[in-house]
Amino acid sequence: MTNTLYTNDNLFILNGLNSNLVDLIYLDPPFNTNKIYSAPIGSKAAGTSFKDMWTWKDVNEAYLDTLADKYPVLAKYIANVGAIHSKPMMAYLTYMAQRIIQMHRVLKDTGSIYLHCDPTASHYLKILLDEVFGKSNFRNEIVWCYTGGTDSKTTWQKKHDIILFYTKTKNYLLNPYYVPFKENTIKRFNKIDEDGKRYKINKLKSGRVTITYMKEEGKLAPDYWNIPIVNVTYQEATSYRTQKPLDLLKRIITASSNKGDIVMDPFCGCATTCVAAHQLGRKWIGIDIEPSAHLLVDRLSDETGMFKDFINTKLIPERTDITFEAPSQSVKERLYKEQKGLCNACGKGFDIWNLEIDHIIPKSKGGGDYYENYQLLCSSCNKIKGVRPMEYLRMKIKVREEMLKDKIIFGE
């Protein structure tokens, strides 16, 4: 399962991963900037692209009903965003909420998550993270400063991204990370002792003289990071427009994981996180929906020969941290009692022999044969749902009810 690149929808892969599995998650999802990014033809990234535009075609609107069952405040917040901002932003946040909830589940109690975003959606995403991870587990809003890019004469130059740092609990790992002192600071420590250590002499008002040594490791990194973007001339460059620098990922991975830990990137793009994790001695899981994932595979394979044993698959993993239980009559009887004889979709009452056992999350979408993933549906609802998620069925029922209210016979 580790050192594996999954090329499939990350929601399906996340559904199939065990709980409390991952030590660190970094994600750099599309920013809802209403653009389409494509790599230049002839570049390493040629043929890859991702759509950074969000509509209700991307997100099933009915998922808000499912979200409201466990996160009613979050569902209400997302719905209100549609009025405050726009329907596309509402769709984007719904899409992200589905996945962030699953990321919270697969993250260890000692784990951390770094969500990379820009000012387009950072303030909306922060509230989403507050609700899922808890506002008390917010640690930092890190500002990644860089140069380059386009110039604008109508706004201040946009030269930073936001990285939201949360932990799952208060018991988390954060290794001290030091950065070099600036030249002016080094000059103030203008004395060198016999061991080669730099120091300065301080003359106090009292007349006392003290000595202060410069810390050899540097100073603790602040929450603003000056790290250059990936220049096309860099060896690591893939011509993928939104590629993030290895130095950025190495800083995050070094600070919030140890050797042997598992690092996951559910939007791994050109695989920078996987490369950085491997170089630092971590295990990794990468996920990307891009069908032409040759860029990721080629990069991982060519990276100085280090990636000879990684796995690339479209298959959805199966959870092993829950008890397997095949559908049976006893399961059906337990569900019938819990659901009080009602279909879990249309809400109508039926005799037990008129209800059918169904997977809430389809097996093809990462669901499995375990009791928590079973429900009883009437034969009509089960036929409509098929192997689709429950959101599809709920939307169909909602449409049918609206049509019946208008005295239109459904299906004609």
Side-chain angles (χ1 to χ4, degrees):
M1 190 174 293
T2 56
N3 290 12
T4 300
L5 171 65
Y6 293 98
T7 47
N8 207 324
D9 189 316
N10 54 20
L11 181 60
F12 305 161
I13 303 301
L14 288 165
N15 283 335
L17 293 176
N18 288 349
S19 299
N20 303 306
L21 172 71
V22 176
D23 297 281
L24 170 63
I25 298 175
Y26 167 85
L27 62 152
D28 178 22
F31 291 167
N32 193 34
T33 53
N34 202 37
K35 297 178 182 178
I36 292 180
Y37 296 106
S38 295
I41 294 177
S43 69
K44 289 184 181 180
T48 64
S49 65
F50 65 83
K51 186 175 64 171
D52 191 8
M53 299 185 297
W54 299 94
T55 68
W56 286 115
K57 293 180 181 179
D58 301 289
V59 182
N60 195 330
E61 185 173 6
Y63 181 75
L64 283 177
D65 295 334
T66 301
L67 195 65
D69 293 340
K70 294 185 177 180
Y71 295 91
V73 175
L74 183 58
K76 186 175 181 180
Y77 158 70
I78 293 174
N80 287 334
V81 167
I84 296 170
H85 189 284
S86 63
K87 284 283 187 179
M89 182 61 78
M90 181 179 172
Y92 175 72
L93 293 179
T94 305
Y95 173 94
M96 290 302 299
Q98 288 178 284
R99 287 149 179 81
I100 288 173
I101 288 169
Q102 287 299 314
M103 291 178 213
H104 181 269
R105 180 184 63 79
V106 303
L107 193 64
K108 290 181 181 178
D109 290 342
T110 53
S112 302
I113 183 170
Y114 288 77
L115 194 160
H116 194 136
C117 49
D118 76 352
T120 305
S122 60
H123 46 305
Y124 295 110
L125 288 167
K126 187 176 185 298
I127 296 176
L128 193 159
L129 288 165
D130 279 346
E131 180 64 17
V132 177
F133 279 83
K135 61 182 181 181
S136 63
N137 289 320
F138 167 69
R139 302 301 167 201
N140 282 101
E141 180 181 85
I142 298 165
V143 181
W144 172 39
C145 307
Y146 48 81
T147 57
T150 58
D151 293 328
S152 171
K153 295 181 180 179
T154 58
T155 62
W156 296 101
Q157 302 308 298
K158 298 175 182 178
K159 303 296 182 183
H160 79 274
D161 286 352
I162 298 297
I163 302 175
L164 299 172
F165 169 33
Y166 281 75
T167 60
K168 191 168 181 179
T169 66
K170 294 181 179 179
N171 180 27
Y172 62 95
L173 171 72
L174 186 63
N175 297 315
Y177 193 93
Y178 297 91
V179 294
F181 288 109
K182 292 183 178 179
E183 191 63 32
N184 289 339
T185 301
I186 296 174
K187 287 180 179 180
R188 291 202 297 270
F189 291 84
N190 54 4
K191 306 292 183 182
I192 301 177
D193 68 11
E194 59 186 10
D195 296 323
K197 297 180 179 180
R198 303 186 72 94
Y199 68 94
K200 66 178 180 177
I201 298 175
N202 310 299
K203 295 181 179 180
L204 306 179
K205 291 182 179 180
S206 63
R208 290 179 59 233
V209 176
T210 62
I211 293 177
T212 303
Y213 277 89
M214 186 176 75
K215 294 180 178 179
E216 294 183 20
E217 63 269 30
K219 66 174 183 177
L220 286 168
D223 60 0
Y224 58 92
W225 300 350
N226 291 295
I227 299 176
I229 59 174
V230 179
N231 190 287
V232 292
T233 61
Y234 291 0
Q235 185 176 0
E236 66 185 88
T238 62
S239 300
Y240 197 82
R241 182 174 175 179
T242 62
Q243 180 181 352
K244 300 305 181 290
L246 273 169
D247 285 348
L248 179 70
L249 272 301
K250 285 184 176 181
R251 180 173 297 194
I252 292 171
I253 293 169
T254 300
S256 289
S257 69
N258 290 325
K259 288 187 176 181
D261 285 350
I262 301 175
V263 178
M264 183 174 74
D265 187 343
F267 295 89
C268 71
C270 53
T272 299
T273 304
C274 306
V275 172
H278 202 99
Q279 289 181 345
L280 293 171
R282 276 68 168 172
K283 300 173 184 177
W284 53 268
I285 297 172
I287 313 171
D288 197 271
I289 197 170
E290 180 59 57
S292 53
H294 65 272
L295 166 66
L296 286 72
V297 177
D298 290 346
R299 183 179 183 187
L300 293 176
S301 301
D302 294 342
E303 188 66 28
T304 65
M306 293 189 303
F307 291 88
K308 295 179 181 178
D309 298 325
F310 83 96
I311 300 169
N312 176 213
T313 180
K314 294 182 179 180
L315 298 177
I316 297 169
E318 293 186 12
R319 292 181 62 178
T320 59
D321 61 335
I322 44 184
T323 303
F324 172 85
E325 188 170 5
S328 63
Q329 184 62 29
S330 63
V331 167
K332 189 173 186 180
E333 290 172 356
R334 287 162 60 193
L335 290 168
Y336 188 79
K337 184 177 181 180
E338 288 181 9
Q339 294 180 200
K340 299 179 180 179
L342 305 178
C343 168
N344 203 36
C346 65
K348 297 178 181 178
F350 291 89
D351 292 325
I352 190 170
W353 51 83
N354 289 324
L355 292 170
E356 302 170 357
I357 298 177
D358 173 71
H359 292 88
I360 298 172
I361 300 175
K363 298 187 73 172
S364 60
K365 304 295 186 292
D369 290 329
Y370 52 93
Y371 185 77
E372 294 78 5
N373 195 39
Y374 290 135
Q375 63 182 345
L376 293 182
L377 299 179
C378 66
S379 58
S380 176
C381 286
N382 201 16
K383 184 177 180 180
I384 295 171
K385 177 177 177 288
V387 295
R388 305 177 185 90
M390 276 296 289
E391 287 72 48
Y392 175 84
L393 176 56
R394 286 174 173 168
M395 181 173 284
K396 281 288 189 180
I397 291 173
K398 184 177 180 180
V399 170
R400 180 169 59 184
E401 289 175 348
E402 290 175 353
M403 294 177 73
L404 288 173
K405 285 180 182 179
D406 294 333
K407 298 182 179 180
I408 300 176
I409 298 175
F410 184 70
E412 293 187 358

